[in-house]
Amino acid sequence: MSVNRPTLRSALALAALLACGAAASAKTLVYCAEGSPENFTPALNTTGTSFDAAKPVYDHLTQFARGTTQVEPGLAESWTVSPDSKVFTFKLRKGVKFHSGVNGFTPTRDFNADDVVWSFERQWKPEHPYAKVSGGKYDYFADMGLKDDLVSIEKLDPYTVRLTLKKPNVTMLANLAMDFAAIHSAEYADFLAKGNRKEQFDQVPVGTGPFQFVAYQKDAVIRYKANPAYWGEKAKVDALVFAITTDPTARYSKLKAGECHVSAYPRPADLPEMQKDPLLKVISMPGLNIGYWAFNVQKPPLDKKEVRQALTMAIDKAALLKDVYMGAGTAAVNFIPPTMAAFNSTVKDYPYDPAKAKALLAKAGVKTPLDLDLWYMPVQRPYNPNAKRMAEMMQADLAKIGVNAKLVTYEWGEYRKRLQQGEPMTALFGWNGDNGDPDNFFFLHGCDAARPGGNNISKWCDKAYDAKLTQARTLTDAKARTKLYQEMQVMEHDAQPDDKIAHSVVFEVLRKEVVGYKQSPFNTHQFNGVELK
């Protein structure tokens, strides 16, 4: 299936046509997606928008029970872990089928250990035949330390795989349920390579998931069909459509018109009206997320913690929560949300104190006016419903202490790429938890992730902090791990590589006829098991 590139007008028209036609069918579920995927290979991506688009297609060795943080069997029906948490042996499911007919591909065998080894070695070994395809950047794999910590991924027999690490890692089973660990078809990869079409591997995906990819019309619509041979909880609709609708007001209009059945990221201002509509259901949960303002510690004067603390104290966080989140969020003190057991409640937030902020700048030897850039996201995210408005309010706050903030933004994919390279002085960003473990937040301040291209946006690398991060992965004692994480939160607070702004409440809106949909703590959207009544 080739990927067409229509004009924006024709793409939007096609999206509307497909969405309307799909919504008219009782067995087609339409999801109003907030943006376009970069591709359909999760290992190459770091954004929930792209993860969502790939999720219907793929499975993982382990998975999260729908709507929970509980790890359960996936493509691996069972596993054993060595006492030192270094060796993981997986017994794979037999009889699992890959999707057939996509891009002219017909599998000749079932899923097996070759596919698991292929999927991880692509991210790990530079000599892998697909390592450099589609840019060859595997940020999750690298930032979590797996690039260096993995000793081997071995096929012991057609349905047994052994993964060996240099260091213990008690988070590994949860990590393998994350999007980057999706399992691909090695046979499909060979099929495309023989036809000199490797670049299509990440654009026209084949997996074992509950839905099969049909077509993607860029910036308009993604179409999938149910996989009747799926090994797990099957799709209860015949087709799934992602109607790409970047504007939240347009998503709301489509919901009301019945052109979409499910929509994420409503505007906070629209929630009261949505909650009164008898045709809609508004669901919510405390977000496993953090919205923050990153300070690039490699760019003077942000290399001084007093300057970072001063900038933090210049911002009226209460006003941001009121005007941007409209009450659908709580002030953030630590990187992890207070719903997580390792949260350190003894850490106190920096006060809003412009006078003290000015004094701290002077103490650090900074003369005002000080010029810096303040980057803001061009899209709505669950951890920040309106980054532009937030940046404008922060710009006004900073002006009061003699700091001139130049507002900057880029297209979403370009924005993230430049952030990860360390280009901005300061930037608004955020994170949604992937697996419910504190490690999944704290690794964002680890030294592995501070490399150019890594997810440590502040590029802060503290060796003592990093040592605690590594040690925590080795501990099976929950209390001992919690102690380390609480110490790390104190270190983060003192160094202040970023201003922790808010943990949001995550809202989603469904039409009344949607049954069986479960909100995910990871802010992902999963549609097998969902039906229309």
Side-chain angles (χ1 to χ4, degrees), residues 9-10 42 64 179 265 271 273 390 402 421 446 449 458 481 491:
R9 179 177 297 178
S10 63
F64 298 108
D179 291 280
Y265 318 120
L271 286 170
E273 183 180 343
M390 180 180 289
Q421 287 299 325
S458 66
R481 288 187 78 204
M491 297 171 74

Side-chain angles (χ1 to χ4, degrees), residues 2 93 101 116 128 157 159 161 193 199 223 243 252 287 340 350 356 361 374 384 386 395 447 498 506 508:
S2 62
R93 292 184 188 276
V116 177
H128 189 281
D157 64 47
Y159 289 96
V161 172
E199 75 285 350
R223 299 179 64 206
Y252 185 19
M340 300 188 80
Y350 289 93
K356 190 171 182 181
L361 285 180
L374 197 173
N384 191 329
N386 191 337
Q395 183 185 47
C447 293
D498 29 51
V506 178
E508 296 182 48

Side-chain angles (χ1 to χ4, degrees), residues 231-242:
W231 61 269
E233 184 180 24
K234 290 182 169 55
K236 294 186 177 181
V237 292
D238 296 317
L240 173 65
V241 170
F242 277 36

Side-chain angles (χ1 to χ4, degrees), residues 136-202:
K137 288 186 64 182
Y138 308 101
D139 289 329
Y140 263 89
F141 191 83
D143 290 355
M144 294 168 67
L146 289 173
K147 185 177 180 180
D148 296 322
D149 290 349
L150 188 59
V151 173
S152 62
I153 177 89
E154 304 168 89
K155 171 186 174 181
L156 302 186
D157 64 47
Y159 289 96
T160 309
V161 172
R162 183 169 62 202
L163 184 152
T164 304
L165 303 173
K166 293 177 185 175
K167 296 179 287 190
N169 192 334
V170 297
T171 70
M172 185 53 63
L173 292 177
N175 291 345
L176 293 176
M178 291 164 55
D179 291 280
F180 84 94
I183 303 300
H184 298 263
S185 167
E187 188 181 19
Y188 179 53
D190 290 343
F191 168 78
L192 291 177
K194 288 174 183 175
N196 198 28
R197 295 188 292 161
K198 283 185 178 181
E199 75 285 350
Q200 293 193 25
F201 184 84
D202 304 309

Side-chain angles (χ1 to χ4, degrees), residues 385-437:
N386 191 337
K388 182 180 181 182
R389 175 60 179 151
M390 180 180 289
E392 291 168 346
M393 294 177 68
M394 293 170 66
Q395 183 185 47
D397 284 344
L398 291 168
K400 296 173 186 175
I401 66 164
V403 175
N404 300 322
K406 178 185 176 182
L407 303 189
V408 178
T409 194
Y410 291 92
E411 178 274 329
W412 184 219
E414 185 70 12
Y415 183 89
R416 292 193 321 278
K417 181 173 72 175
R418 289 173 180 259
L419 253 64
Q420 290 176 223
Q421 287 299 325
E423 185 174 323
M425 289 183 72
T426 79
L428 293 175
F429 207 45
W431 186 257
N432 290 292
D434 296 291
N435 63 19
D437 193 287

